[in-house]
Amino acid sequence: MKKYNVAVMGATGVVGTCFLNILAEREFPIKNLKLLASERSKGKSLRFAGKLYPVEILTHDSFKDVDIVLASAGASRSLEFLPSAVKAGAICVDNSSAFRMDKDVPLVVPEVNPEKIKENKGIIANPNCSTIQMVVALWPIHKAAKIKRIVVTTFQSVSGAGQKKITELWEQSKIFLAKEKVTPIELPHQIAFNLIPQIDVFLDNGYTKEEMKMVNETRKIMGDDSIQVNATCVRVPVFFAHSESVNIETEKPISPKEAKALLSKAEGVTLIDDPEHGSYPMPIFAEGKDDTFVGRIRKDESVQNGLSMWVVADNIRKGAALNAIQIAERLIK
Ligand code: NAP
Ligand code: 3JN
């Protein structure tokens, strides 16, 4: 089997670490592995498949002989360095928002629009985590009944915002339980034992950037600009896995029973829907798993053709590293 030279940009971060775990788990055919991060990681080594690899400082010359770049070092690093990677002949799967809405860059969720991968000109964008799990759950329903409108509220774990926010929830929880004063450092407010209805910055229309990512990315991935999306994104004191309350209105009628039948055989979806026995998806169950979990499917009785559901996935796996590696796997196939 052909093997590839792979570079992981942002290898020391939450997503980068997950990239390394999943590459090893899925036995991605790697010839040489290059780990890239900032000056702060100078001298560090990371373990991959039982071997230690040095972390190198990211520069424009980092991409010589690299075939595939898996990028998760933030949007400004992607904007600055991925053009150099493409120039050096690499194909980049980018986890940041830098190129997602660029019309020349495919925005891909393999369960939904894998055919777009071949249109790449060197960069393929990985969507935002909240968008990915929602479209995985909604795509089979959209194909059957055409979704006209989506109203979504997210419950996003702190890991979505990086390592420092994971530490912040951990530290604040200890301080709060010790009945001492909590002082937020990384997040705009206390996150322990609280909810923050703000993810990323506010825009002129009153929505946050995260909310508008969900609107625009959903339309691009599902290839339908007519879908109306209204999102509210909330940070919750959970370490891993994002949850979403999703309400949809469809053009054609579709019953909860029909939706469950479609989702029970949909790629990348596990249906957990037995509320009478207390069975529905939850973050503690989704953490560390690959699938998107859907449950609480019920008719929206306030409109003619509507459904409500609850969608949970590991935001660092399916929401970031796994989705990108699934794209890379299809690329090399
Ligand atoms: P993180 O834990 O804070 O890690 C950030 C990583 O980026 C570290 O490896 C860091 O290296 C590296 N980095 C930062 N500045 C750099 C620079 N100037 N040059 C080279 N490397 C640099 O964050 P994370 O959670 O892994 O997320 C990283 C990025 O992935 C996010 O900014 C976002 O763009 C993307 N992401 C996407 C999703 C999604 O929804 N698809 C979800 C999460 C994250 P050092 O350790 O050396 O500082
Ligand atoms: O907060 C979350 O749960 C998801 C965050 C994603 C994120 C964090 C920092 C920068 C992104 C993203 O993927 O949209 C970015 C970015 O690349 O803009």
Side-chain angles (χ1 to χ4, degrees), residues 75 95-97 100 128-129 156 160-161 199 210 213 235 242:
N95 241 298
S96 83
S97 60
R100 285 182 194 148
N128 178 271
C129 43
Q156 297 182 219
I199 295 184
E210 182 83 355
K213 282 175 186 172
R235 185 74 68 200
H242 288 359

Side-chain angles (χ1 to χ4, degrees), residues 10-16 36-41 44 58 72-75 77 95-97 100 126-130 132 159-163 315-316 319-320:
T12 51
V14 178
V15 178
L36 302 167
S38 79
E39 288 270 357
R40 291 179 289 273
S41 297
K44 275 192 195 165
L58 172 67
S72 67
R77 264 70 62 194
N95 241 298
S96 83
S97 60
R100 285 182 194 148
N126 196 72
N128 178 271
C129 43
S130 301
I132 293 177
S159 56
Q163 185 55 52
N315 55 301
I316 300 300

Side-chain angles (χ1 to χ4, degrees), residues 91-214:
I91 297 188
C92 309
V93 186
D94 183 27
N95 241 298
S96 83
S97 60
F99 299 99
R100 285 182 194 148
M101 297 313 297
D102 186 324
K103 66 176 179 30
D104 289 328
V105 174
L107 181 65
V108 176
V109 176
E111 291 87 342
V112 179
N113 60 346
E115 72 286 351
K116 294 285 173 192
I117 293 173
K118 63 177 184 305
E119 292 174 17
N120 83 82
K121 295 178 179 158
I123 299 175
I124 300 162
N126 196 72
N128 178 271
C129 43
S130 301
T131 311
I132 293 177
Q133 67 183 70
M134 185 172 82
V135 298
V136 167
L138 293 186
W139 183 243
I141 298 172
H142 184 59
K143 280 192 289 181
K146 193 166 180 351
I147 294 172
K148 288 196 300 188
R149 181 166 185 255
I150 303 168
V151 179
V152 54
T153 304
T154 69
F155 304 75
Q156 297 182 219
S157 65
V158 290
S159 56
Q163 185 55 52
K164 287 183 179 157
K165 279 72 170 186
I166 297 177
T167 309
E168 178 133 311
L169 173 58
W170 185 255
E171 292 303 327
Q172 281 187 4
S173 301
K174 287 193 290 185
I175 293 168
F176 184 87
L177 290 171
K179 296 194 164 64
E180 286 166 17
K181 187 175 161 14
V182 170
T183 310
I185 302 166
E186 292 291 331
L187 287 161
H189 301 279
Q190 172 180 325
I191 184 63
F193 303 92
N194 192 24
L195 305 177
I196 306 175
Q198 176 187 354
I199 295 184
D200 211 330
V201 295
F202 281 99
L203 303 171
D204 288 345
N205 64 359
Y207 288 83
T208 63
K209 228 171 157 182
E210 182 83 355
E211 289 160 353
M212 292 315 294
K213 282 175 186 172
M214 290 193 78

